[in-house]
Amino acid sequence: MSRLISSLMQPRVWSVDMDDTISEVERQFVEQGLTWAPVLESKRMIVGVISAGDLLQFHAQERDPMRVAAWQLCSYKPISVDENTPLSEVARQMTTQGIHHVVVTRGEKIAGVVSSMDFVRTFVEAG
């Protein structure tokens, strides 16, 4: 039996609301030690993800973090997979689509998150 993505996911999920300002998103990233977070509409529906890389690009453009909302900066239509999806299938999706973040679901709810670094940690721990 192959390992499931649930064995790799981080179950503690911090998300941001799509209407949070970039300033609020950055505050939460600092307070929670985040490098990325799902962006939610109405605290439920996943509309995208926002990453530290997105924030760096935002500041390089010298835009006002108090006037831009998370939905205006996030990457839309993130990959989400069921918690029972095999690791190999998720890794394949991440590499073919060139993404670094995946939202793991249980039914209609977020069960956890996985980043490319979680995969790297697996290999480091195994070695």
Side-chain angles (χ1 to χ4, degrees):
M1 183 173 167
S2 65
R3 282 182 64 189
L4 303 177
I5 195 65
S6 59
S7 69
L8 191 61
M9 75 180 185
Q10 304 298 316
R12 190 167 185 184
V13 178
W14 297 99
S15 61
V16 298
D17 186 81
M18 65 183 284
D19 292 322
D20 287 349
T21 65
I22 296 306
S23 184
E24 292 168 329
V25 171
E26 290 175 319
R27 180 186 51 75
Q28 187 165 338
F29 272 38
V30 169
E31 288 177 2
Q32 304 304 329
L34 304 174
T35 58
W36 73 285
V39 177
L40 304 181
E41 178 182 16
S42 303
K43 308 268 189 241
R44 279 190 36 187
M45 191 173 89
I46 305 163
V47 295
V49 298
I50 193 165
S51 71
D54 296 326
L55 297 174
L56 285 172
Q57 288 179 342
F58 173 83
H59 284 290
Q61 298 168 1
E62 299 182 2
R63 296 168 67 190
D64 184 353
M66 297 296 290
R67 295 182 183 265
V68 177
W71 69 266
Q72 294 173 287
L73 187 63
C74 72
S75 299
Y76 288 98
K77 298 182 181 178
I79 295 218
S80 62
V81 297
D82 182 79
E83 66 183 339
N84 295 314
T85 305
L87 281 179
S88 59
E89 183 178 323
V90 176
R92 190 174 301 106
Q93 285 184 35
M94 291 174 78
T95 56
T96 58
Q97 295 185 34
I99 61 165
H100 297 277
H101 311 104
V102 175
V103 178
V104 181
T105 59
R106 179 180 302 123
E108 297 292 315
K109 297 185 184 223
I110 297 175
V113 293
V114 173
S115 73
S116 52
M117 286 304 295
D118 295 318
F119 279 93
V120 171
R121 280 188 207 98
T122 299
F123 290 109
V124 169
E125 291 168 1

